[in-house]
Amino acid sequence: MYNSLSSRRNFIKKMAQLSAMTAAAAMFPGILFASEQEAGIPNSANLDWKKGPCRFCGVGCGILVGTENGKAVAVKGDPNCSVNKGLLCVKGYHQTMCIQSKDRLTHALVKKNGKYVKTPLNEALDIVANKMKSTIEAHGKDSVAMYTSGQSTIPEGYVASKLMKGAIGTNNLDCNARLCMASAVAGFLTTFGADEPMGCYEDIDHADYFITWGNNMAEMHPVLFSRMLEQKTRRGAKIIDFATRTSRSSTASDRSILFEPQTDLAVANAICYEIINNGWVNKSFVEKHCNFSKGLTNIGYGTEDKFNFKDKPEKIDFAAFKAFLNDYTPEKVEKYSKVSAKDIKYLASIYGDPNKKVVSYWCMGMNQHTRGTWMNNLVYNIHLLTGKISQPGNGPFSLTGQPSACGTAREVGTFTHKLPKGVVMNPKHRALAAKIWKVPVERIPAKPTYHATEMFRAVDRGDIKFIWTQVTNPLVSLPKTSRYRPAMEKDSCFVVVSDVFPTPTSDVADVILPASWHIEKSGLYGNSERRTQHWDKMVEGPGETTPDAWMTIEVAKRMGYGDLFPYSEENHVEEIYNEYRQFHEGAKHGMAPLEVLKKESGAIWPYVNGKSTQWRFNAKYDPACKEGSDFDFYGKPDGKAVIWQRPYEPAAESPDAEYPFWLNTGRVIEHWHTGSMTRRIPVLHKAMPEAYIEFHPDDAKALKIRDGENIKVTSRRGSCVLPASVNKRGLPTRGQVFVPFFDENMLINDVTLDAFCPISKEPDYKKCAVKVEKA
Amino acid sequence: MPIKSYLAHPKTGEKQTLINALSLLNGCEVIPATNQDVVVVVTETSDDASDVILKDKIEHIDSLKLLALVSGFNTPQN
Ligand code: SF4
C-alpha cells in the first residue's frame, strides 16, 4: 500500500478517500470500510500474511500483516479472529505506516555535554547498567525505578518485574496502566476478589440493552461499537449512552442521557434505590451469592505528596444498605446530577426488567475518577442486585484502553503492589514468586512503594535518582505535567527512555534506547476479554533497534543477575512465556500453551482442558466453580461477591468564580494516546492534525468565541493554547470544555490536576476547574 | 486533474445496485461501507469538463438517493 502512496497524486486520492470516510464516520458512528483494507494491497503473489493483534487499543482486533521482501506492505483484519471478524478501524489498517517515519530512533543516543551522541547499543546498555548499579550502591535499591506500560508485551512486563522485584529487590515498578485501569482493578478486587471481566465480547450477540457509562465507544472501541450497531440493526438491541458530553457514540445510540460530572456516583445509587423499592431485586441470587459492606468516607483526593489511605471495610446487612439509599431517591439526585428523575427511573427499569439482558460498558469515564473504585463497585452493585452477571448477554464489562493493560500490566503485574500472581503484601504470593524466580524470598519486599503519580513526585523530590521508562510517554500523558516535566529535567535523576520515536519524554533523557516496534519482535498481548494473543516477528527493525525485553535482560546480565535471566536472544519470548505460565497454573487462571496461541487468534483464560472459559463464576461455563454451585465468586474466600455502600462525594476541584469551567480530556478515533505513532501516519495526521478545545455553542456565543479562534485555557497548574472547536465532533454540556490529549504541541496535561482515587491511585483526567480566554 | 470524494447514499435496499452502477463508470473508485448504507466515491478526471460530465453521470444513476461532495483537489498534470 505504501508504494501506491509514493506519488503525490495517489496520496491526494487517499486523502480524498479518507476525508469522505471521516465524514461518513461523523454521520454513522462505528461505520467500517472493510474493502478499503484490501484496496491498496499490491497484486503480488509473494505476499506472506502473518497474524497478530493490532498494536493499538484494548479491543485486541486480529490483524494480518502482508510482508514482501522483508517489508510490511499491507494490513487487513483477520477474518478468523472472533474479536473483529475481519474488521478494523482506521487506526488498525494504517498501523504499520509509522515504522518508516524518517525520525525513527534507530540507534542509542547518549547525552554528552548537553548533546545527544549516537552510541553503539552495547555501550549504551553498559552505561544504563553501571548507572543503575552505582545509584543503588550510593543511595539504596529504592532510589531506582522502572515505569513501563500497558503496551509492553507480556515478556517485557515479566522481565521488568523480575529484574526490579526478584533481582534488585525493590517494588519501584509501576506503569501507565495505573493511569487508565487501576480503578477497574481495585473495583474487581474489592467486589469479586479477582481481577478482569467475567464476560466476553460474545455478550454483544446476546444483550438486549447496552448501557455505556461515560464511554465514547464509537471512537475508543470502534470495532466493538460496530458490533453493537450490527445487533441494533439486526435484532433491535438498544444502546443507551450515559455521559457528560455528546459524542459520536451518543448520536448513534437510542438514548443519550447527560449528567453533571462526578454525579454518576449518585445516579448509580439512585438506580439501586429504584431496583430495591420496586421489588426488582433478584432475592435468591443476592441471598446466596452476595455480602454487603461499607468502607471509609471522605477519603481525600491525593493531591499532596506521600498521601496515604487504607480503606477499612465493615460488613453491613441488606437493611442498612437499603436505609443508606434513602439519600438517593431519583427526586433528590436529579437536583444535582441534572438527570431527570424520569430518566433515572428509565435506566433502573432496564436493569430491573428480568426479561431483558443488559451489558454495562465503561472505560476511562468511570476509571479516571477520584472515586473510580467506588464507581466500579456501584455498577457491580446494580448487576449483583438484579443477578444480571456472568451469563451470555448479562454482565458488567470494564473495557481496557491499551492493548495489553490486561495481559501485561494486570496479569503479569507491573504495578508496585503486584506480582505475577497476587500481591507483594501476601507472604504466599511472595513465596511462589521467589520459587519460580529462584531468588531468596526475603529479597522481594512486602511493602509497595510508589504508584505512578507518586513515582514522579519522588523524582521531583529527588528521592528517585534513576528512572527507566519503556513504551510510554509520561511527559505527555501524566496529569499535571507542568510539575513533572521540570522534575524529570533535574540533574538529580538519571533518565533512561526506551522508545520507537522521539517524544517529549525522550527529550529529557540521559540515554535513549532504540526499541523495536510491534511487528519487529515477537510478543504476546492480553486484551479486554481475557484473550491472550501471540505474534511472531514479521520484519527486521532498522539499525540497532532491539526488543525492550531483550534490553532489560542485557542490563540485568550486566548488573550481575545473569543466572536469573538464562534466556536466549532468539527464543526469549517463548522461554519467558513458559516460565510465566507457571504462575497461573490451575482452573482459575490457566493460560493457553504457546502452541495453541501460535495457531489460533488468541485464547481466553482460564484456559482449562483445552478450552477457553467465556463466562467466569457461572458453573455452566466455568470449571473452576465449586461442584454443585450455580454461581461461585471464587475470588472471595466464601464465594460471595460484595455489594458496597459507597456515597456520592464531590470532585477534587469544581468550577468556581475564578475558574468557571469543567475541563474534560480524552481521545479521538484517529490518534493513539499521545500520538507518538499515529501522528507519524500521514493519513491519520492529516485527518486530525492538531488538538482543539471544544465548547458548547451557547458558551462560545456568550464568550464571543468563533470556531478556530485561539483560546488560552488556564487552571491553577498551568495553561495551554488551542483552537476553539464549536459544533464539530463533540458537544460538551454547558459549562464544560473538552480537549483531546494526543497533541504534544498543545500539552493539555500541563493544565490537569493530579488528584486520584485514594483506593486505586488512578488520576482523574476528566474533572478540574479552568478559565478560558482568547489568546 | 481534479480529484474529488463524495458520500453516495443509495435508495432503500439498493446499495448493491448503486455499487454496481458506480463501478461501471470510468474514473470512479467505489468504497462501500461494510455496515451502513453509504458508499464512498472517489473520482479522478483529466480536466474540469470531464469532472462535470462524470458527476452528471453519477447523479443520473437511478439507485442514488443523494450525492454529497466531501473534498475536492486539483493537481498538476504530473
Ligand atoms: S478497534 Fe482497536 S484493536 Fe481494533 S483496529 Fe481499531 S485500534 Fe486496533
Side-chain angles (χ1 to χ4, degrees):
Chain A
M1 104 173 81
Y2 315 125
N3 292 344
S4 69
L5 286 182
S6 58
S7 84
R8 187 173 145 69
R9 255 189 97 62
N10 280 338
F11 182 72
I12 287 171
K13 255 180 102 175
K14 187 90 186 158
M15 283 310 305
Q17 191 186 35
L18 197 81
S19 312
M21 286 174 167
T22 310
M27 277 184 250
F28 306 102
I31 194 169
L32 293 162
F33 295 88
S35 63
E36 205 278 335
Q37 301 165 33
E38 316 273 344
I41 297 173
N43 291 329
S44 161
N46 298 329
L47 278 198
D48 181 16
W49 293 98
K50 290 190 174 130
K51 76 157 182 75
C54 172
R55 168 63 183 79
F56 296 126
C57 89
V59 172
C61 294
I63 58 168
L64 292 172
V65 179
T67 60
E68 190 182 36
N69 303 325
K71 281 202 158 167
V73 295
V75 179
K76 59 182 180 182
D78 180 354
N80 296 320
C81 181
S82 64
V83 170
N84 54 314
K85 301 172 177 150
L87 302 176
L88 294 178
C89 79
V90 67
K91 284 191 295 295
Y93 55 76
H94 290 114
Q95 58 188 284
T96 57
M97 293 172 82
C98 64
I99 314 182
Q100 293 149 3
S101 168
K102 285 199 180 72
D103 61 349
R104 179 76 196 265
L105 293 168
T106 56
H107 292 83
L109 298 169
V110 176
K111 206 183 224 171
K112 285 181 186 149
N113 302 322
K115 284 217 170 94
Y116 285 111
V117 179
K118 189 169 153 183
T119 306
L121 183 63
N122 269 327
E123 267 176 48
L125 293 170
D126 286 343
I127 295 171
V128 173
N130 289 337
K131 191 71 196 178
M132 209 167 181
K133 229 174 138 182
S134 63
T135 308
I136 293 168
E137 277 157 18
H139 306 283
K141 53 197 171 65
D142 285 343
S143 63
V144 299
M146 263 184 109
Y147 182 69
T148 65
S149 173
Q151 298 161 66
S152 302
T153 65
I154 288 174
E156 286 163 359
Y158 184 81
V159 291
S161 175
K162 192 171 178 179
L163 171 63
M164 299 305 285
K165 302 188 176 206
I168 295 172
T170 172
N171 286 325
N172 281 3
L173 170 69
D174 218 68
C175 64
N176 65 8
R178 175 76 69 180
L179 313 178
C180 62
M181 294 318 302
S183 298
V185 178
F188 276 117
L189 293 180
T190 45
T191 300
F192 303 103
D195 191 18
E196 299 198 31
M198 48 289 297
C200 61
Y201 296 158
E202 210 186 293
D203 282 323
I204 296 172
D205 304 339
H206 302 277
D208 299 306
Y209 279 89
F210 304 104
I211 302 190
T212 60
W213 290 74
N215 190 11
N216 177 8
M217 287 179 73
E219 292 199 72
M220 306 320 146
H221 301 90
V223 166
L224 290 185
F225 196 71
S226 83
R227 283 182 62 176
M228 281 156 58
L229 286 178
E230 193 191 338
Q231 297 303 320
K232 182 174 176 240
T233 319
R234 198 192 280 175
R235 297 189 289 115
K238 301 249 181 316
I239 306 173
I240 316 290
D241 178 60
F242 182 63
T244 60
R245 167 177 173 253
T246 305
S247 66
R248 285 181 175 178
S249 304
S250 326
T251 49
S253 296
D254 295 271
R255 279 290 299 277
S256 154
I257 300 174
L258 295 167
F259 65 93
E260 183 69 3
Q262 190 82 357
T263 64
D264 40 359
L265 293 156
V267 175
N269 275 328
I271 291 173
C272 291
Y273 172 90
E274 276 294 294
I275 288 170
I276 292 175
N277 278 276
N278 286 296
W280 294 331
V281 174
N282 183 335
K283 282 195 187 128
S284 65
F285 183 90
V286 172
E287 274 164 21
K288 242 169 115 181
H289 303 298
C290 302
N291 288 317
F292 290 83
S293 284
K294 67 176 186 181
L296 296 177
T297 55
N298 292 318
I299 61 178
Y301 299 99
T303 44
E304 60 277 19
D305 279 33
K306 299 186 181 175
F307 171 87
N308 205 0
F309 172 79
K310 199 169 180 334
D311 205 7
K312 284 202 187 101
E314 196 185 310
K315 275 209 173 181
I316 56 166
D317 59 14
F318 178 74
F321 180 67
K322 189 176 171 206
F324 154 81
L325 289 176
N326 285 335
D327 284 345
Y328 298 95
T329 64
E331 289 72 20
K332 284 181 189 164
V333 169
E334 82 174 340
K335 294 204 178 92
Y336 53 103
S337 67
K338 298 191 185 159
V339 183
S340 69
K342 199 169 146 225
D343 280 345
I344 295 174
K345 290 177 184 184
Y346 168 69
L347 287 168
S349 71
I350 296 170
Y351 284 110
D353 184 341
N355 300 314
K356 292 280 178 266
K357 292 186 186 148
V358 190
V359 176
S360 303
Y361 282 115
W362 67 93
C363 199
M364 295 310 131
M366 263 172 54
N367 293 343
Q368 293 178 336
H369 194 307
T370 49
R371 296 292 177 266
T373 307
W374 289 7
M375 220 19 251
N376 277 261
N377 292 148
L378 290 179
V379 173
Y380 296 137
N381 286 356
I382 297 171
H383 282 269
L384 289 168
L385 282 173
T386 53
K388 293 190 176 183
I389 195 161
S390 294
Q391 302 149 45
N394 256 336
F397 200 113
S398 151
L399 294 162
T400 26
Q402 303 187 79
S404 202
C406 286
T408 306
R410 292 161 75 166
E411 292 162 30
V412 171
T414 49
F415 294 103
T416 179
H417 64 292
K418 279 280 295 163
L419 287 167
K421 181 180 179 128
V423 290
V424 294
M425 298 80 88
N426 184 319
K428 277 194 197 146
H429 298 163
R430 289 200 304 279
L432 176 71
K435 188 173 151 223
I436 295 174
W437 286 344
K438 299 192 178 76
V439 298
V441 69
E442 313 76 57
R443 194 181 293 168
I444 304 170
K447 225 176 136 217
T449 53
Y450 305 113
H451 56 85
T453 308
E454 195 53 35
M455 184 179 273
F456 288 89
R457 288 176 181 172
V459 170
D460 189 30
R461 292 194 300 266
D463 297 344
I464 289 179
K465 300 187 185 302
F466 171 103
I467 190 166
W468 182 356
T469 73
Q470 288 181 344
V471 209
T472 186
N473 186 9
L475 294 191
V476 179
S477 62
L478 282 172
K480 199 171 158 182
T481 39
S482 45
R483 173 176 179 188
Y484 303 120
R485 189 176 327 103
M488 292 276 277
E489 282 166 350
K490 285 183 179 170
D491 288 339
S492 55
C493 187
F494 191 87
V495 177
V496 180
V497 173
S498 297
D499 213 328
V500 176
F501 302 110
T503 65
T505 308
S506 71
D507 285 351
V508 305
D510 295 284
V511 175
I512 302 174
L513 298 173
S516 308
W517 194 71
H518 186 43
I519 59 166
E520 296 162 355
K521 62 188 176 190
S522 302
L524 295 113
Y525 277 165
N527 78 354
S528 279
E529 61 164 355
R530 293 175 280 111
R531 179 179 295 274
T532 315
Q533 301 156 296
H534 170 268
W535 72 97
D536 276 321
K537 177 175 172 176
M538 304 181 198
V539 294
E540 287 298 330
E544 284 206 283
T545 53
T546 301
D548 278 309
W550 193 250
M551 292 197 276
T552 304
I553 293 166
E554 283 291 325
V555 168
K557 285 181 181 168
R558 285 163 165 79
M559 291 176 74
Y561 304 118
D563 52 333
L564 302 181
F565 295 83
Y567 318 112
S568 65
E569 188 165 6
E570 312 70 50
N571 281 326
H572 66 277
V573 167
E574 188 159 345
E575 291 157 8
I576 293 167
Y577 182 70
N578 287 336
E579 180 181 314
Y580 162 62
R581 264 185 82 213
Q582 298 172 51
F583 278 94
H584 293 309
E585 271 168 8
K588 291 180 186 170
H589 197 145
M591 313 278 298
L594 204 64
E595 309 82 77
V596 171
L597 299 178
K598 282 191 172 183
K599 261 197 284 160
E600 291 172 18
S601 252
I604 295 180
W605 65 263
Y607 187 83
V608 187
N609 301 327
K611 262 181 76 184
S612 291
T613 303
Q614 286 182 291
W615 289 277
R616 285 196 298 169
F617 313 136
N618 179 338
K620 244 194 240 170
Y621 307 94
D622 184 349
C625 290
K626 251 196 294 317
E627 266 205 34
S629 62
D630 49 358
F631 293 90
D632 177 11
F633 295 102
Y634 49 72
K636 293 284 184 188
D638 61 359
K640 289 186 175 190
V642 179
I643 292 177
W644 282 92
Q645 174 179 310
R646 303 291 201 191
Y648 162 77
E649 287 182 1
E653 185 181 74
S654 301
D656 54 22
E658 200 184 343
Y659 297 95
F661 282 88
W662 286 110
L663 168 67
N664 174 12
T665 66
R667 299 174 284 172
V668 293
I669 188 170
E670 294 86 350
H671 289 295
W672 174 249
H673 284 194
T674 62
S676 64
M677 290 178 278
T678 45
R679 294 185 83 233
R680 288 176 168 88
I681 297 174
V683 284
L684 296 177
H685 178 50
K686 292 252 167 147
M688 179 56 78
E690 60 181 9
Y692 51 84
I693 177 166
E694 204 173 68
F695 284 90
H696 188 282
D698 291 353
D699 288 331
K701 200 168 157 204
L703 295 164
K704 299 196 173 58
I705 289 172
R706 279 175 291 112
D707 182 57
E709 242 180 321
N710 270 349
I711 302 298
K712 184 176 178 191
V713 53
T714 307
S715 71
R716 291 177 179 89
R717 274 76 52 197
S719 62
C720 178
V721 175
L722 311 103
S725 168
V726 186
N727 280 327
K728 284 192 171 158
R729 183 165 296 194
L731 178 69
T733 44
R734 285 191 65 176
Q736 185 194 163
V737 291
F738 171 83
V739 177
F741 71 91
F742 67 85
D743 189 344
E744 66 179 47
N745 299 317
M746 298 175 190
L747 290 170
I748 192 59
N749 277 320
D750 278 359
V751 181
T752 51
L753 176 64
D754 58 352
F756 50 76
C757 166
I759 302 175
S760 70
K761 320 289 190 287
E762 174 165 348
D764 187 332
Y765 291 86
K766 305 293 184 188
K767 292 166 224 99
C768 72
V770 294
K771 61 183 174 190
V772 290
E773 60 205 313
K774 295 190 187 193
Chain B
M1 298 280 278
I3 292 175
K4 289 188 174 161
S5 68
Y6 302 87
L7 289 182
H9 300 260
K11 289 182 181 155
T12 312
E14 296 192 41
K15 182 176 167 194
Q16 196 51 49
T17 324
L18 176 65
I19 295 167
N20 296 347
L22 285 165
S23 307
L24 291 175
L25 299 176
N26 275 339
C28 206
E29 203 175 298
V30 186
I31 304 122
T34 313
N35 54 353
Q36 294 289 347
D37 282 344
V38 70
V39 176
V40 166
V41 182
V42 181
T43 61
E44 183 181 21
T45 45
S46 51
D47 51 41
D48 288 344
S50 328
D51 182 57
V52 174
I53 294 167
L54 180 57
K55 184 167 179 251
D56 196 51
K57 280 187 191 163
I58 297 174
E59 280 175 334
H60 278 89
I61 296 174
D62 266 354
S63 49
L64 178 81
K65 187 168 82 186
L66 175 73
L67 186 72
L69 177 70
V70 178
S71 69
F73 300 89
N74 219 332
T75 64
Q77 286 271 327
N78 349 302

